[in-house]
Amino acid sequence: MEDGKSTVRAVDRALDILLCFTHRTDWAMTEIAEHVGLHKSTVHRMLATLEEKGFIERDRSTDRYHLGLRMWELSANLSGSDDQATIWLPEMVRLRDQLGETVSIYVRDGSERIRIQAVQSNQAVRRVAPIGVRLPLYAGASSKVLIAFSEESVRNSILESLEWPDSFDKEQYSRNLTEVTELGYATSFEEREAGAAALSAPIFDRSGNLSAALSVSGPSSRMTLKTMRGYAPVIKESAKRMGTMSK
């Protein structure tokens, strides 16, 4: 029984180490140890095993670790032909080419949103959107969409459970959500990141349930509020087309 507990603990620790790479692409061993709260010798053994299995690779010149090819093999199976994020990709490319900005798809996971698909802008100055990034739900255009268009009970539960910044005006945020549902889209202007702006619209499945949030983001110098209002009918139409592709 004790051996079983030790095995589960080892798996748990290994997964914590892998999850470090959802925050950034490369880590030093000491940084990982500090981040996950484990002794360096334990992390060293875990990394050696993960490296042997191909899930982690070590750059011999810098002694820093990054994800290995085995992770890409797993993700290839995740993004099969029936995966929704893959099915939506051609429409995302079309939208990127039409508006010239980065296009992303977000879904809600508890009190966070996750970017599950992205098509980067081709412009020299652009907003880079890595896939797999987790972001808080209290800021950003797609966050507003994911909350505003959820069922009322879900929306209330989210609003009650979020860890709001001390300076945040929850009443104003609730009023913003009402406006979002009336307009059918949301905007954000340097809410989470200085110099960045975004526009988002909901993707509903064929049953009328919220599937995801479609987002267009870019530098706030180009994505002004006036520009985003002009883009709104375009992104809403794209979201509508993507909804017809939903399972």
Side-chain angles (χ1 to χ4, degrees), residues 189-203:
F189 193 81
E190 299 187 339
E191 288 184 8
R192 191 186 60 82
E193 182 181 342
L199 168 71
S200 183
I203 301 173

Side-chain angles (χ1 to χ4, degrees), residues 7 12 63 68-69 76 96 98 135 139 153 159 167 176 197 207 236 247:
T7 301
D12 190 55
D63 211 29
L69 293 177
R96 187 274 311 275
Q98 183 175 1
L135 298 168
S153 59
L159 293 174
S167 60
N176 288 344
S207 299
K236 288 170 68 175
K247 298 175 184 178

Side-chain angles (χ1 to χ4, degrees), residues 107-162:
V107 296
R108 184 179 68 85
D109 183 21
S111 60
E112 296 177 309
R113 56 184 166 115
I114 305 175
R115 186 183 295 119
I116 62 168
Q117 187 63 279
V119 178
Q120 310 297 339
S121 168
N122 290 326
Q123 301 203 52
V125 178
R126 59 186 176 180
R127 181 142 191 278
V128 178
I131 296 173
V133 168
R134 287 178 175 268
L135 298 168
L137 269 180
Y138 58 75
S142 59
S143 291
K144 296 172 192 173
V145 164
L146 291 172
I147 297 175
F149 292 97
S150 295
E151 295 181 6
E152 184 177 1
S153 59
V154 175
R155 182 169 62 250
N156 293 336
S157 177
I158 294 170
L159 293 174
E160 290 174 5
S161 63
L162 282 179

Side-chain angles (χ1 to χ4, degrees), residues 185 199 227-239 241:
Y185 68 89
L199 168 71
T227 299
M228 287 191 284
R229 291 189 185 108
Y231 286 168
V234 179
I235 190 174
K236 288 170 68 175
E237 184 60 31
S238 279
R241 281 195 292 267

